[in-house]
Coordinates of all heavy atoms in Angstrom, one line a residue:
M16 N 105.1 93.9 61.3 CA 104.0 94.6 62.1 C 102.8 93.6 62.2 O 102.1 93.7 63.2 CB 103.6 95.9 61.3 CG 102.6 96.7 62.1 SD 103.0 97.2 63.8 CE 104.2 98.4 63.5
A17 N 102.6 92.8 61.2 CA 101.5 91.8 61.3 C 101.6 90.9 62.5 O 100.6 90.6 63.1 CB 101.4 91.0 60.0
E18 N 102.9 90.5 62.7 CA 103.1 89.6 63.9 C 102.8 90.3 65.2 O 102.3 89.7 66.1 CB 104.5 89.0 63.8 CG 104.8 88.1 64.9 CD 104.1 86.7 64.8 OE1 103.4 86.5 63.8 OE2 104.2 85.9 65.7
V19 N 103.2 91.6 65.3 CA 103.0 92.4 66.5 C 101.5 92.5 66.7 O 101.0 92.3 67.9 CB 103.6 93.8 66.4 CG1 103.1 94.7 67.5 CG2 105.1 93.7 66.4
R20 N 100.7 92.8 65.7 CA 99.3 92.9 65.8 C 98.6 91.5 66.2 O 97.8 91.5 67.1 CB 98.6 93.3 64.5 CG 99.0 94.8 64.2 CD 98.3 95.3 62.9 NE 96.9 95.2 63.0 CZ 96.1 96.3 63.2 NH1 96.7 97.5 63.3 NH2 94.8 96.2 63.3
R21 N 99.2 90.4 65.7 CA 98.6 89.1 66.0 C 98.9 88.8 67.5 O 98.0 88.3 68.2 CB 99.3 88.0 65.1 CG 98.7 86.6 65.3 CD 99.5 85.6 64.5 NE 100.8 85.3 65.1 CZ 101.0 84.6 66.2 NH1 100.0 84.1 66.9 NH2 102.2 84.4 66.7
L22 N 100.1 89.0 67.9 CA 100.5 88.7 69.3 C 99.7 89.6 70.3 O 99.3 89.2 71.3 CB 102.0 88.9 69.5 CG 102.9 87.8 68.8 CD1 104.3 88.2 68.9 CD2 102.6 86.4 69.4
T23 N 99.6 90.9 69.9 CA 98.8 91.8 70.7 C 97.3 91.3 70.8 O 96.8 91.4 71.9 CB 98.9 93.2 70.2 OG1 100.3 93.6 70.1 CG2 98.1 94.2 71.1
A24 N 96.8 90.9 69.7 CA 95.4 90.4 69.8 C 95.3 89.2 70.6 O 94.3 89.1 71.4 CB 94.9 90.1 68.3
A25 N 96.2 88.3 70.6 CA 96.2 87.1 71.5 C 96.3 87.5 72.9 O 95.6 86.9 73.8 CB 97.3 86.1 71.1
L26 N 97.1 88.5 73.2 CA 97.3 89.0 74.6 C 96.0 89.6 75.1 O 95.6 89.5 76.2 CB 98.5 89.9 74.6 CG 98.9 90.4 76.0 CD1 99.2 89.3 76.9 CD2 100.1 91.3 75.9
I27 N 95.4 90.4 74.2 CA 94.1 91.1 74.5 C 93.1 90.0 74.9 O 92.4 90.2 75.9 CB 93.6 91.9 73.4 CG1 94.5 93.2 73.2 CG2 92.2 92.3 73.6 CD1 94.3 93.9 71.9
D28 N 93.0 88.9 74.1 CA 92.1 87.9 74.4 C 92.3 87.3 75.8 O 91.4 87.1 76.6 CB 92.2 86.8 73.4 CG 91.6 87.2 72.0 OD1 90.9 88.2 71.9 OD2 91.9 86.5 71.0
Q29 N 93.6 87.0 76.2 CA 93.9 86.5 77.5 C 93.5 87.4 78.6 O 93.0 87.0 79.6 CB 95.4 86.1 77.5 CG 95.7 85.0 76.6 CD 97.2 84.7 76.6 OE1 98.0 85.4 77.3 NE2 97.7 83.8 75.8
V30 N 93.8 88.7 78.4 CA 93.5 89.7 79.4 C 92.0 89.9 79.6 O 91.5 89.9 80.8 CB 94.2 91.0 79.1 CG1 93.7 92.2 80.0 CG2 95.7 90.9 79.2
L31 N 91.3 90.0 78.5 CA 89.9 90.1 78.6 C 89.2 88.9 79.2 O 88.3 89.0 80.0 CB 89.2 90.5 77.3 CG 89.6 91.9 76.7 CD1 89.0 92.0 75.3 CD2 89.0 93.0 77.6
E32 N 89.7 87.7 78.9 CA 89.1 86.5 79.5 C 89.3 86.5 81.0 O 88.4 86.2 81.8 CB 89.8 85.3 78.9 CG 89.2 84.0 79.5 CD 89.9 82.7 79.0 OE1 90.7 82.8 78.0 OE2 89.6 81.7 79.5
A33 N 90.5 86.9 81.4 CA 90.8 86.9 82.9 C 89.9 87.9 83.6 O 89.3 87.7 84.6 CB 92.3 87.2 83.1
Q34 N 89.7 89.1 82.9 CA 88.8 90.1 83.5 C 87.4 89.7 83.6 O 86.7 89.9 84.6 CB 89.0 91.4 82.7 CG 90.3 92.1 82.8 CD 90.5 93.2 81.9 OE1 89.8 93.4 80.9 NE2 91.6 94.0 82.1
L35 N 86.9 89.0 82.5 CA 85.5 88.5 82.5 C 85.2 87.5 83.6 O 84.1 87.5 84.2 CB 85.2 87.9 81.2 CG 85.0 88.9 80.0 CD1 84.8 88.2 78.7 CD2 83.7 89.7 80.3
V36 N 86.2 86.6 83.9 CA 85.9 85.6 84.9 C 86.4 86.0 86.3 O 86.3 85.2 87.2 CB 86.5 84.2 84.5 CG1 85.9 83.7 83.2 CG2 88.0 84.3 84.4
G37 N 86.9 87.2 86.4 CA 87.3 87.7 87.7 C 88.7 87.2 88.2 O 89.0 87.3 89.4
R38 N 89.5 86.7 87.3 CA 90.8 86.3 87.7 C 91.8 87.5 87.6 O 91.6 88.3 86.7 CB 91.4 85.2 86.7 CG 90.8 83.8 86.9 CD 91.6 82.8 86.1 NE 92.1 83.3 84.8 CZ 91.7 82.9 83.6 NH1 90.8 81.9 83.5 NH2 92.2 83.4 82.5
P39 N 92.8 87.5 88.4 CA 93.7 88.6 88.3 C 94.5 88.4 87.0 O 94.8 87.3 86.6 CB 94.6 88.5 89.5 CG 94.4 87.1 90.0 CD 93.0 86.6 89.6
V40 N 94.9 89.5 86.4 CA 95.7 89.4 85.2 C 97.2 89.4 85.7 O 97.6 90.2 86.4 CB 95.5 90.7 84.3 CG1 96.4 90.7 83.1 CG2 94.0 90.8 83.9
P41 N 97.9 88.4 85.2 CA 99.3 88.3 85.6 C 100.1 89.6 85.3 O 99.8 90.2 84.2 CB 99.9 87.1 84.8 CG 98.7 86.3 84.5 CD 97.5 87.3 84.4
Q42 N 101.0 90.0 86.1 CA 101.8 91.2 85.9 C 102.5 91.2 84.6 O 102.6 92.2 83.9 CB 102.8 91.4 87.1 CG 103.6 92.6 87.0 CD 102.7 93.9 87.1 OE1 101.8 93.9 87.9 NE2 103.0 94.9 86.3
E43 N 103.0 90.0 84.2 CA 103.7 89.9 82.9 C 102.8 90.3 81.7 O 103.2 90.9 80.8 CB 104.3 88.5 82.7 CG 105.3 88.1 83.7 CD 104.7 87.6 85.0 OE1 103.5 87.1 85.0 OE2 105.4 87.6 86.0
Q44 N 101.6 89.8 81.8 CA 100.6 90.1 80.7 C 100.2 91.6 80.7 O 100.1 92.2 79.7 CB 99.4 89.2 80.8 CG 99.6 87.8 80.5 CD 98.3 87.0 80.6 OE1 97.3 87.4 81.1 NE2 98.4 85.8 80.0
S45 N 100.0 92.1 81.9 CA 99.7 93.6 82.0 C 100.8 94.4 81.4 O 100.6 95.3 80.6 CB 99.5 94.0 83.5 OG 98.4 93.3 84.0
T46 N 102.0 94.1 81.8 CA 103.2 94.9 81.3 C 103.3 94.7 79.8 O 103.6 95.7 79.1 CB 104.5 94.4 82.0 OG1 104.3 94.5 83.4 CG2 105.7 95.1 81.6
A47 N 103.2 93.5 79.3 CA 103.3 93.2 77.9 C 102.3 94.0 77.1 O 102.5 94.6 76.0 CB 103.2 91.8 77.6
L48 N 101.0 94.0 77.6 CA 100.0 94.7 76.9 C 100.2 96.2 76.9 O 100.0 96.9 75.8 CB 98.6 94.4 77.5 CG 97.4 94.9 76.8 CD1 97.3 94.3 75.4 CD2 96.1 94.7 77.5
I49 N 100.7 96.8 78.0 CA 101.0 98.2 78.0 C 102.1 98.6 77.1 O 102.1 99.6 76.3 CB 101.3 98.7 79.5 CG1 100.0 98.6 80.3 CG2 101.9 100.1 79.5 CD1 100.2 98.7 81.8
K50 N 103.1 97.7 77.1 CA 104.3 98.0 76.1 C 103.8 97.9 74.7 O 104.3 98.6 73.8 CB 105.4 97.0 76.4 CG 106.2 97.3 77.7 CD 107.3 96.3 77.9 CE 108.1 96.6 79.1 NZ 109.2 95.7 79.3
A51 N 103.0 96.9 74.4 CA 102.4 96.8 73.0 C 101.6 98.0 72.6 O 101.8 98.5 71.5 CB 101.6 95.5 72.9
A52 N 100.8 98.5 73.6 CA 100.1 99.7 73.3 C 101.0 100.9 73.0 O 100.7 101.7 72.0 CB 99.1 100.0 74.4
F53 N 102.0 101.1 73.8 CA 103.0 102.1 73.5 C 103.6 102.0 72.2 O 103.8 102.9 71.4 CB 104.1 102.1 74.6 CG 103.8 103.0 75.8 CD1 103.6 102.3 77.1 CD2 103.6 104.3 75.8 CE1 103.4 103.1 78.2 CE2 103.4 105.1 76.9 CZ 103.2 104.5 78.1
F54 N 104.0 100.7 71.8 CA 104.7 100.5 70.6 C 103.7 100.8 69.4 O 104.1 101.4 68.4 CB 105.1 99.0 70.5 CG 105.8 98.7 69.2 CD1 107.1 99.1 68.9 CD2 105.1 97.9 68.2 CE1 107.7 98.7 67.7 CE2 105.7 97.6 67.0 CZ 107.0 98.0 66.7
L55 N 102.5 100.4 69.5 CA 101.5 100.6 68.4 C 101.3 102.1 68.3 O 101.2 102.6 67.1 CB 100.2 99.9 68.7 CG 100.2 98.4 68.6 CD1 99.0 97.8 69.1 CD2 100.5 97.9 67.2
R56 N 101.2 102.8 69.4 CA 101.0 104.3 69.3 C 102.2 104.9 68.7 O 102.1 105.8 67.8 CB 100.8 104.8 70.7 CG 100.8 106.4 70.7 CD 99.9 107.1 71.5 NE 98.5 106.6 71.3 CZ 97.6 106.7 72.2 NH1 97.9 107.1 73.4 NH2 96.4 106.3 72.0
A57 N 103.5 104.5 69.0 CA 104.7 105.0 68.4 C 104.8 104.8 66.9 O 105.3 105.6 66.2 CB 105.9 104.5 69.1
C58 N 104.2 103.7 66.5 CA 104.2 103.4 65.1 C 103.0 103.9 64.3 O 102.7 103.6 63.2 CB 104.2 101.8 64.9 SG 105.7 101.1 65.4
N59 N 102.2 104.7 65.0 CA 101.0 105.4 64.4 C 100.0 104.3 63.9 O 99.3 104.6 62.9 CB 101.3 106.3 63.3 CG 102.1 107.6 63.9 OD1 101.7 108.1 64.9 ND2 103.1 107.9 63.2
V60 N 99.9 103.2 64.6 CA 98.9 102.2 64.3 C 97.7 102.4 65.2 O 97.8 102.5 66.4 CB 99.5 100.8 64.6 CG1 98.4 99.7 64.4 CG2 100.7 100.5 63.7
P61 N 96.5 102.7 64.6 CA 95.3 102.9 65.4 C 95.0 101.7 66.3 O 95.1 100.6 65.9 CB 94.2 103.2 64.4 CG 94.7 102.8 63.1 CD 96.2 102.6 63.2
W62 N 94.6 102.0 67.5 CA 94.1 101.0 68.4 C 92.7 100.5 68.0 O 91.9 101.3 67.6 CB 94.0 101.5 69.8 CG 95.3 101.8 70.5 CD1 96.6 101.6 69.9 CD2 95.5 102.3 71.8 NE1 97.5 101.9 70.9 CE2 96.9 102.4 72.0 CE3 94.7 102.7 72.8 CZ2 97.5 102.8 73.2 CZ3 95.2 103.2 73.9 CH2 96.6 103.2 74.1
W63 N 92.5 99.2 68.2 CA 91.2 98.7 68.0 C 90.5 98.8 69.3 O 91.1 98.8 70.4 CB 91.2 97.4 67.3 CG 92.1 96.3 67.9 CD1 91.8 95.3 68.8 CD2 93.5 96.2 67.7 NE1 92.9 94.6 69.1 CE2 94.0 95.1 68.4 CE3 94.4 96.9 66.9 CZ2 95.3 94.7 68.4 CZ3 95.8 96.5 66.9 CH2 96.2 95.4 67.7
P64 N 89.1 98.8 69.4 CA 88.4 99.0 70.6 C 88.7 97.9 71.7 O 88.7 98.3 72.9 CB 86.9 98.9 70.2 CG 86.9 99.3 68.8 CD 88.2 98.8 68.2
M65 N 89.0 96.7 71.3 CA 89.3 95.7 72.3 C 90.5 96.0 73.1 O 90.7 95.7 74.3 CB 89.3 94.3 71.7 CG 88.0 93.9 71.0 SD 86.6 93.9 72.1 CE 86.9 92.3 72.9
L66 N 91.5 96.6 72.5 CA 92.7 97.0 73.1 C 92.4 98.1 74.2 O 92.9 98.0 75.3 CB 93.8 97.5 72.2 CG 95.1 98.1 72.7 CD1 95.8 97.1 73.6 CD2 96.0 98.5 71.6
A67 N 91.7 99.1 73.8 CA 91.3 100.1 74.8 C 90.5 99.5 75.9 O 90.7 99.9 77.1 CB 90.5 101.2 74.1
Q68 N 89.6 98.6 75.6 CA 88.8 97.9 76.7 C 89.7 97.2 77.7 O 89.5 97.2 78.9 CB 87.8 97.0 76.1 CG 86.9 96.4 77.1 CD 85.8 95.5 76.5 OE1 85.6 95.5 75.3 NE2 85.2 94.7 77.3
A69 N 90.6 96.4 77.1 CA 91.5 95.6 78.0 C 92.4 96.6 78.9 O 92.6 96.3 80.1 CB 92.4 94.7 77.1
L70 N 92.9 97.6 78.3 CA 93.7 98.6 79.0 C 92.9 99.3 80.1 O 93.3 99.5 81.2 CB 94.3 99.6 78.1 CG 95.4 99.1 77.2 CD1 95.8 100.2 76.2 CD2 96.7 98.7 78.0
H71 N 91.7 99.6 79.8 CA 90.8 100.2 80.8 C 90.5 99.3 81.9 O 90.5 99.7 83.1 CB 89.4 100.6 80.1 CG 88.4 101.2 81.0 ND1 88.6 102.4 81.6 CD2 87.3 100.7 81.5 CE1 87.6 102.6 82.5 NE2 86.8 101.6 82.4
G72 N 90.3 98.0 81.6 CA 90.1 97.0 82.7 C 91.3 96.9 83.6 O 91.2 96.6 84.8
L73 N 92.5 97.0 83.0 CA 93.8 96.9 83.8 C 93.8 98.1 84.7 O 94.2 97.9 85.9 CB 95.0 97.0 82.9 CG 95.3 95.8 82.0 CD1 96.5 96.0 81.2 CD2 95.5 94.5 82.9
G74 N 93.3 99.2 84.3 CA 93.3 100.4 85.2 C 92.4 100.2 86.4 O 92.7 100.5 87.5
R75 N 91.2 99.5 86.2 CA 90.3 99.2 87.3 C 91.0 98.2 88.2 O 90.8 98.3 89.4 CB 89.0 98.6 86.7 CG 88.0 99.7 86.3 CD 86.7 99.0 86.1 NE 86.9 97.9 85.2 CZ 86.3 97.7 84.0 NH1 85.5 98.6 83.6 NH2 86.5 96.7 83.3
D76 N 91.6 97.2 87.6 CA 92.3 96.2 88.5 C 93.3 96.8 89.4 O 93.4 96.4 90.6 CB 93.0 95.1 87.6 CG 92.0 94.2 86.8 OD1 90.8 94.2 87.1 OD2 92.4 93.5 85.9
V77 N 94.1 97.7 88.9 CA 95.1 98.4 89.7 C 94.5 99.2 90.8 O 94.9 99.2 91.9 CB 96.0 99.3 88.8 CG1 96.9 100.1 89.6 CG2 96.8 98.4 87.8
E78 N 93.4 99.9 90.5 CA 92.7 100.7 91.5 C 92.1 99.9 92.6 O 92.2 100.2 93.8 CB 91.6 101.6 90.9 CG 92.1 102.7 90.0 CD 91.0 103.3 89.2 OE1 89.8 103.0 89.4 OE2 91.3 104.2 88.3
E79 N 91.5 98.7 92.2 CA 90.9 97.9 93.2 C 91.9 97.1 94.1 O 91.7 96.8 95.2 CB 90.0 96.8 92.5 CG 88.8 97.5 91.9 CD 88.0 96.5 91.0 OE1 88.4 95.4 90.9 OE2 87.0 97.0 90.4
A80 N 93.1 96.7 93.5 CA 94.0 95.9 94.2 C 95.2 96.6 94.7 O 96.1 96.0 95.4 CB 94.6 94.8 93.2
A81 N 95.3 97.9 94.5 CA 96.5 98.7 95.0 C 96.5 98.8 96.5 O 95.5 99.2 97.1 CB 96.4 100.1 94.4
P82 N 97.6 98.3 97.1 CA 97.7 98.4 98.5 C 98.0 99.9 98.9 O 98.5 100.7 98.0 CB 98.9 97.5 98.8 CG 99.7 97.5 97.6 CD 98.7 97.6 96.5
E83 N 97.8 100.2 100.1 CA 98.2 101.5 100.6 C 99.7 101.7 100.5 O 100.4 100.8 100.9 CB 97.7 101.7 102.0 CG 96.2 101.8 102.2 CD 95.6 103.0 101.5 OE1 96.2 104.1 101.5 OE2 94.6 102.8 100.8
P84 N 100.1 102.8 99.9 CA 101.6 103.0 99.8 C 102.3 103.1 101.1 O 101.7 103.7 102.0 CB 101.7 104.3 99.0 CG 100.4 105.0 99.1 CD 99.4 104.0 99.4
D85 N 103.4 102.5 101.2 CA 104.2 102.6 102.4 C 105.0 103.8 102.3 O 105.5 104.2 101.3 CB 105.1 101.3 102.5 CG 105.9 101.2 103.8 OD1 105.6 102.0 104.7 OD2 106.8 100.4 103.8
A86 N 105.2 104.5 103.4 CA 106.0 105.7 103.5 C 107.4 105.6 102.9 O 108.0 106.5 102.4 CB 106.0 106.3 104.9
G87 N 107.9 104.4 103.0 CA 109.3 104.1 102.6 C 109.4 103.7 101.1 O 110.5 103.5 100.6
D88 N 108.2 103.6 100.4 CA 108.3 103.1 99.0 C 108.9 104.2 98.1 O 108.7 105.4 98.3 CB 106.8 102.9 98.5 CG 106.3 101.6 99.0 OD1 107.0 100.8 99.6 OD2 105.0 101.4 98.8
E89 N 109.8 103.7 97.2 CA 110.4 104.6 96.3 C 109.8 104.4 94.9 O 109.4 103.3 94.6 CB 111.9 104.2 96.2 CG 112.6 104.2 97.5 CD 113.6 105.4 97.6 OE1 113.9 106.0 96.6 OE2 114.0 105.7 98.7
P90 N 109.7 105.5 94.1 CA 109.2 105.3 92.8 C 110.1 104.4 91.9 O 111.3 104.3 92.2 CB 109.1 106.7 92.2 CG 110.0 107.5 93.1 CD 110.1 106.8 94.4
L91 N 109.5 103.7 91.0 CA 110.3 102.8 90.1 C 111.2 103.7 89.3 O 110.8 104.7 88.7 CB 109.4 102.0 89.2 CG 108.4 101.0 90.0 CD1 107.5 100.4 89.0 CD2 109.2 100.0 90.7
Q92 N 112.4 103.2 89.2 CA 113.4 104.0 88.4 C 113.3 103.8 86.9 O 113.7 104.7 86.2 CB 114.8 103.6 88.9 CG 115.0 103.9 90.4 CD 114.8 105.4 90.8 OE1 115.3 106.3 90.1 NE2 114.2 105.6 91.9
D93 N 112.8 102.7 86.4 CA 112.8 102.4 85.0 C 111.5 102.8 84.3 O 111.2 102.4 83.2 CB 113.1 101.0 84.7 CG 112.1 100.0 85.4 OD1 111.3 100.5 86.3 OD2 112.1 98.9 85.0
I94 N 110.6 103.6 85.0 CA 109.3 104.0 84.4 C 109.4 105.5 84.0 O 109.9 106.3 84.8 CB 108.2 103.8 85.5 CG1 108.1 102.4 85.9 CG2 106.9 104.4 85.0 CD1 107.6 101.5 84.8
D95 N 109.0 105.7 82.8 CA 108.9 107.1 82.3 C 107.5 107.7 82.9 O 106.5 107.5 82.2 CB 108.9 107.2 80.8 CG 108.7 108.5 80.2 OD1 108.7 109.5 81.0 OD2 108.5 108.6 79.0
Q96 N 107.6 108.3 84.0 CA 106.3 108.7 84.7 C 105.6 109.7 83.9 O 104.3 109.7 83.8 CB 106.6 109.2 86.1 CG 107.1 108.1 87.0 CD 107.4 108.6 88.4 OE1 107.2 109.8 88.7 NE2 107.8 107.7 89.3
Q97 N 106.3 110.7 83.3 CA 105.6 111.7 82.5 C 105.0 111.1 81.2 O 103.8 111.4 80.9 CB 106.6 112.8 82.0 CG 105.9 113.9 81.3 CD 106.9 115.0 80.9 OE1 108.1 114.8 81.1 NE2 106.4 116.1 80.4
G98 N 105.7 110.1 80.6 CA 105.1 109.5 79.4 C 103.9 108.6 79.8 O 102.9 108.6 79.1
L99 N 104.0 107.9 80.9 CA 102.9 107.1 81.3 C 101.7 107.9 81.7 O 100.6 107.6 81.3 CB 103.3 106.2 82.6 CG 102.3 105.2 83.1 CD1 101.9 104.2 82.0 CD2 102.9 104.5 84.3
T100 N 101.9 109.0 82.4 CA 100.8 109.9 82.7 C 100.1 110.4 81.4 O 98.9 110.5 81.3 CB 101.3 111.1 83.6 OG1 101.9 110.6 84.7 CG2 100.2 112.0 83.9
S101 N 100.9 110.8 80.5 CA 100.4 111.3 79.2 C 99.6 110.2 78.5 O 98.5 110.5 78.0 CB 101.5 111.9 78.3 OG 101.1 112.2 77.0
F102 N 100.2 109.0 78.5 CA 99.6 107.9 77.8 C 98.2 107.6 78.4 O 97.2 107.4 77.8 CB 100.5 106.7 77.9 CG 99.9 105.4 77.5 CD1 99.7 105.1 76.2 CD2 99.5 104.5 78.5 CE1 99.1 103.9 75.8 CE2 98.9 103.3 78.1 CZ 98.7 103.0 76.8
L103 N 98.2 107.5 79.8 CA 96.9 107.2 80.4 C 95.9 108.3 80.3 O 94.7 108.0 80.1 CB 97.2 106.9 81.9 CG 98.0 105.6 82.1 CD1 98.3 105.4 83.6 CD2 97.2 104.4 81.6
S104 N 96.3 109.5 80.3 CA 95.3 110.6 80.2 C 94.7 110.6 78.8 O 93.5 110.8 78.6 CB 95.9 112.0 80.5 OG 96.9 112.3 79.5
Q105 N 95.5 110.3 77.8 CA 95.0 110.2 76.4 C 94.1 109.0 76.3 O 93.0 109.0 75.6 CB 96.1 110.1 75.4 CG 95.6 110.2 74.0 CD 96.7 110.4 73.0 OE1 97.9 110.4 73.3 NE2 96.3 110.5 71.7
L106 N 94.4 107.9 77.0 CA 93.6 106.7 77.0 C 92.2 107.0 77.6 O 91.2 106.6 77.0 CB 94.3 105.5 77.7 CG 93.5 104.3 77.9 CD1 93.2 103.6 76.6 CD2 94.2 103.3 78.9
W107 N 92.2 107.7 78.7 CA 90.9 108.0 79.3 C 90.1 109.0 78.4 O 88.9 108.8 78.4 CB 91.2 108.6 80.7 CG 91.5 107.6 81.7 CD1 92.7 107.4 82.2 CD2 90.6 106.7 82.3 NE1 92.7 106.3 83.1 CE2 91.4 105.9 83.2 CE3 89.3 106.4 82.2 CZ2 90.8 104.8 83.9 CZ3 88.7 105.4 82.9 CH2 89.5 104.6 83.8
S108 N 90.8 109.9 77.7 CA 90.0 110.8 76.9 C 89.5 110.0 75.7 O 88.3 110.3 75.2 CB 90.8 112.0 76.4 OG 91.9 111.6 75.6
E109 N 90.2 109.0 75.1 CA 89.7 108.2 74.0 C 88.6 107.3 74.5 O 87.7 107.0 73.7 CB 90.9 107.4 73.4 CG 91.9 108.2 72.7 CD 93.0 107.4 72.1 OE1 93.0 106.2 72.3 OE2 93.9 108.0 71.5
K110 N 88.7 106.9 75.7 CA 87.6 106.0 76.3 C 86.3 106.6 76.1 O 85.3 105.9 75.8 CB 87.9 105.7 77.7 CG 86.9 104.9 78.4 CD 87.1 104.8 79.9 CE 85.9 104.4 80.6 NZ 85.0 105.5 81.0
G111 N 86.2 107.9 76.3 CA 84.9 108.6 76.2 C 84.4 108.6 74.8 O 83.2 108.7 74.6
R112 N 85.2 108.4 73.8 CA 84.8 108.4 72.4 C 84.4 107.0 71.9 O 84.0 106.8 70.8 CB 85.9 109.0 71.5 CG 86.0 110.4 71.7 CD 87.0 111.0 70.8 NE 88.3 111.1 71.5 CZ 89.5 111.2 71.0 NH1 89.6 111.1 69.7 NH2 90.5 111.4 71.8
L113 N 84.7 105.9 72.7 CA 84.4 104.6 72.2 C 83.0 104.2 72.5 O 82.3 104.6 73.2 CB 85.3 103.6 73.0 CG 86.8 103.8 72.7 CD1 87.6 102.8 73.6 CD2 87.1 103.5 71.3

């Protein structure tokens, strides 16, 4: 678990740095950070504020950069939409407490 926390902290640093200087966060880093957050939550490891801040910034990046959906776009098959919705709603409610 210590290695997971160390790697997550390093990823948080990279994501926050990109957000601070206005660079886009690479998709691989965004995905890895979200997966790490899910893993930490599943292991009942409390999030530290910098993780919540980085995730919140990813949400803004997606809103700003999201293209208009094409009528032919299909939802991703490998995403747990209900779990993701629950995760993000809890993240937003926790954001108010930070």
